[in-house]
Amino acid sequence: MNAPVDAATVTTPQSATAQPTTATRDEAGATELLTFQIALLVVGSVLLVMTVVGLIASSAPLLIAAGLLTAVATFVSVYTAVNILAD
């Protein structure tokens, strides 16, 4: 015999496990993005100081190194930011 089943008492594995809400994921993404922006600001500041010291000291190797590191930091930051925003 089949007894009527109340929909509220039936639990499935999907409804029994706690899924993160969209708001929680958005907050985590915002936190990751803020942390990334702060870290990028620090890296940019260090590279700026490195460039200024290279200009004052007229050091070609220091200027070249600052330029190369800035290019690498730019490409890494764009790649990382796109991945953070995509999640």
Side-chain angles (χ1 to χ4, degrees):
M1 298 194 125
N2 292 340
V5 177
D6 185 15
T9 60
V10 175
T11 59
T12 62
Q14 293 172 345
S15 65
T17 59
Q19 297 292 327
T21 62
T22 304
T24 305
R25 282 184 272 159
D26 289 344
E27 289 174 8
T31 303
E32 289 176 1
L33 188 58
L34 179 63
T35 304
F36 173 71
Q37 288 174 341
I38 291 170
L40 192 60
L41 182 65
V42 170
V43 169
S45 299
V46 168
L47 289 172
L48 179 66
V49 168
M50 187 175 169
T51 304
V52 169
V53 169
L55 285 173
I56 292 172
S58 299
S59 172
L62 194 57
L63 287 172
I64 292 170
L68 291 175
L69 288 174
T70 302
V72 169
T74 301
F75 291 125
V76 168
S77 66
V78 168
Y79 176 78
T80 306
V82 167
N83 285 333
I84 288 174
L85 292 173
D87 285 339

